[in-house]
Amino acid sequence: MEAKTILIADDEQDILELLEYALKKEGYTVYKAADGKETVKLAHKVKPDIVLLDIMMPHKDGIEVCRELRNDPNFENTIIIILTARGEEYSEVAGFDAGADDYVTKPVKLRSLVRRLEALLRRGQKNTPDALNIPPFVIDREKYMVTLEEDPIQLPRKEFELLYLLASNKNKVVTRDRIFEGIWGKDVIVVDRTIDVHIRRLRKKIGKEHIQTVKGVGYKFVATE
């Protein structure tokens, strides 16, 4: 795998040093930041492939930083992982709602973190050259681009992958289990509401009529052609 750049943001120096040591051993180029403002500034400077964000940081918390980066087109394909000591469901949902790709709870299990990073990078490198042309959409997996009636729509990585999965099975029900496995993978544990958060955000951007809920089963992308 080509060497990747990761930006770690945490106000606890011992955690920064531990993660830096472990990830450098795995071949990553590592940058560190100790607060939210420094994280945003450094992200614009180094353009990392991955950002690992603690929630509780000075100046700007991790949720604010995640949302700010996701609103910048330069970071639409950057992998963002929320790192926090909190175990409450609401903080996980808030992270995904801000556009995070994954969620890791402290104390960090280093081997598990490395596997998650590798899985996220592999999914980001899938080669699917043909775009889905489903009027009024064109969904290009190779370029990570969505257009609706020729107008571009900016989607974070997980929302794009979710839309692509549903659209590639147009007019068919995709179960929640299949969505979890296809988008987050078997090794990633997320709360059940995570899918609902992403579906809600997608509907706001592409229109409610294109994604139907099949109660107790999953979701269906409805083609209008």
Side-chain angles (χ1 to χ4, degrees), residues 15-40:
I15 291 179
L16 282 177
E17 292 176 357
L18 175 65
L19 292 175
E20 179 184 28
Y21 175 77
L23 293 172
K24 279 186 173 180
K25 283 182 63 178
E26 296 295 327
Y28 291 92
T29 300
V30 179
Y31 294 89
K32 298 180 294 183
D35 64 62
K37 287 185 178 180
E38 182 185 3
T39 301
V40 173

Side-chain angles (χ1 to χ4, degrees), residues 50-106:
I50 304 166
V51 179
L52 188 59
L53 280 174
D54 184 39
I55 285 187
M56 301 300 291
M57 291 191 296
H59 305 308
K60 288 184 178 181
D61 65 32
I63 301 298
E64 291 179 276
V65 173
C66 181
R67 187 173 290 111
E68 184 171 341
L69 294 180
R70 278 293 181 239
N71 287 333
D72 186 330
N74 291 313
F75 299 100
E76 62 182 334
N77 292 324
T78 302
I79 296 170
I80 300 178
I81 300 173
I82 295 293
L83 175 65
T84 180
R86 295 181 179 181
E88 299 92 346
E89 179 180 324
Y90 75 85
S91 62
E92 179 176 346
V93 173
F96 284 127
D97 200 30
D101 294 293
D102 203 352
Y103 182 96
V104 176
T105 304
K106 296 178 182 177

Side-chain angles (χ1 to χ4, degrees), residues 96-132:
F96 284 127
D97 200 30
D101 294 293
D102 203 352
Y103 182 96
V104 176
T105 304
K106 296 178 182 177
V108 179
K109 297 179 180 178
L110 295 175
R111 289 185 180 179
S112 177
L113 174 61
V114 169
R115 287 199 301 269
R116 288 188 182 200
L117 295 178
E118 291 173 348
L120 287 164
L121 288 169
R122 282 196 301 271
R123 285 199 287 275
Q125 293 170 349
K126 284 181 179 176
N127 182 21
T128 311
D130 295 330
L132 296 176

